[in-house]
Amino acid sequence: MIRASEPPVIDARHVRKSFGDLEVLKDISLAVRGGEVVSILGPSGSGKSTFLRCLNHLEIPDAGTILVNGSPMGYRQHVGRLYELPPREVARQRRSIGMVFQRFNLFPHRTALENVMEGPVQVLGRARREAREKAMAELDRVGLADKADAFPSQLSGGQQQRVAIARALAMNPSAILFDEPTSALDPELVDSVLAVMRQVADAGMTMVVVTHEIAFARDVCDRVVFMDQGIIVEEGAPEQVIEHPSHERTQRFLARIHTAPGGPAATDGPAATDGAQP
């Protein structure tokens, strides 16, 4: 349930980001409240993934402010001025926002259980027994308790992504960011990952999801944001943006998605990215 009366969990204000002469984000503002599930749609190169990475300071914005639970991400405020935090402090801040990447980013030499335990032990300082119990509970939540001792190479892409979701959940984050979490998967593996994401959303987790999975955005998300060329073109309820888009750019994008091979869930393929990284 969206906690409308509370301040936003994530509050991005006038965010700008360039790579060399290429301005990727042009004055982006977006607030996400507790329990809200927001999907970000848009063509490759529109700035979606770059914006997501700015939210947890994996990319440092050139301008603007990102507040997480009311505190500036990557900075501390003192006497009205912002001072950049050292990397260790940024990492401590970042633990409140989980992130699920396109390519899973699991440690190949650690089992599924060890991958999920890593953050609670190394970042949160949990005792190994406590972290193990939490990790097993999260693996069970994503349907992989029987794969606890398997290494990533022994898991399908969909199973690896579900381990990555369990890893994010094990940190008890305020929100989870999903960067095209199904784009690297074979089509037959997509549904199992989306089912877990639906379950996480239903449990009340605040989520920001960069995706081309139109059915997920329509059926699960509270709000849909359409980005193109570094700006938010339009945003609103899924039935508004997806079924009755008001902007010509949104209409063109959705028409292309619906007519692409594979229908509404079509993606730009395994290598889909913003096209914005140097």
Side-chain angles (χ1 to χ4, degrees):
M1 178 181 292
I2 300 172
R3 299 187 289 276
S5 62
E6 298 182 13
V9 173
I10 298 171
D11 191 1
R13 303 175 181 177
H14 306 293
V15 175
R16 294 180 177 270
K17 179 66 179 178
S18 296
F19 295 102
D21 294 332
L22 177 62
E23 189 177 20
V24 178
L25 300 177
K26 306 169 184 176
D27 196 15
I28 297 284
S29 294
L30 181 69
V32 182
R33 297 196 176 276
E36 190 175 17
V37 181
V38 176
S39 64
I40 303 179
L41 309 179
S44 294
S46 60
K48 308 181 304 295
S49 292
T50 297
F51 177 61
L52 206 71
R53 291 171 65 86
C54 284
L55 292 182
N56 68 351
H57 216 66
L58 288 175
E59 294 288 355
I60 301 175
D62 298 324
T65 304
I66 294 168
L67 303 176
V68 176
N69 294 320
S71 297
M73 190 66 187
Y75 300 88
R76 65 179 177 87
Q77 194 163 16
H78 181 67
V79 196
R81 296 186 62 183
L82 292 178
Y83 297 87
E84 191 167 358
L85 292 173
R88 181 172 292 184
E89 292 296 317
V90 174
R92 186 175 293 120
Q93 268 194 330
R94 195 179 285 137
R95 67 191 184 188
S96 65
I97 299 190
M99 187 153 184
V100 177
F101 299 88
Q102 295 180 32
R103 294 287 180 174
F104 327 134
N105 286 17
L106 300 178
F107 293 110
H109 59 288
R110 294 195 171 104
T111 65
L113 178 62
E114 290 167 342
N115 267 280
V116 179
M117 288 175 60
E118 181 75 10
V121 171
Q122 298 298 329
V123 179
L124 301 182
R126 300 286 189 260
R128 292 192 65 82
R129 180 175 178 177
E130 178 187 354
R132 180 185 178 87
E133 291 176 356
K134 175 68 171 174
M136 282 301 302
E138 297 301 349
L139 285 173
D140 184 59
R141 183 175 177 179
V142 302
L144 290 175
D146 62 331
K147 299 292 185 181
D149 295 327
F151 289 92
S153 62
Q154 298 171 310
L155 301 173
S156 70
Q159 289 171 332
Q160 291 185 62
Q161 194 62 293
R162 285 150 62 194
V163 171
I165 294 172
R167 177 180 59 186
L169 290 167
M171 297 291 288
N172 293 323
S174 299
I176 301 180
L177 313 177
F178 294 82
D179 187 10
E180 301 210 29
T182 60
S183 67
L185 302 179
D186 292 332
E188 63 269 21
L189 302 176
V190 168
D191 285 349
S192 64
V193 172
L194 292 179
V196 168
M197 291 172 63
R198 286 171 184 258
Q199 175 190 335
V200 173
D202 288 344
M205 177 59 67
T206 308
M207 297 165 56
V208 182
V209 185
V210 169
T211 185
H212 284 288
E213 302 288 348
I214 302 300
F216 178 88
R218 182 186 60 232
D219 298 341
V220 178
C221 296
D222 301 294
R223 187 158 40 118
V224 172
V225 174
F226 178 73
M227 286 182 62
D228 193 16
Q229 298 180 10
I231 65 170
I232 293 177
V233 175
E234 65 178 299
E235 63 177 297
E239 58 269 20
Q240 172 192 329
V241 176
I242 294 175
E243 304 299 336
H244 305 287
S246 60
H247 199 285
E248 184 268 339
R249 276 193 272 181
T250 316
Q251 296 168 5
R252 202 166 59 230
F253 171 80
L254 290 170
R256 195 162 61 240
I257 287 288
H258 281 284
T259 58
T267 73
D268 285 346
T273 67
D274 261 348
Q277 304 300 324

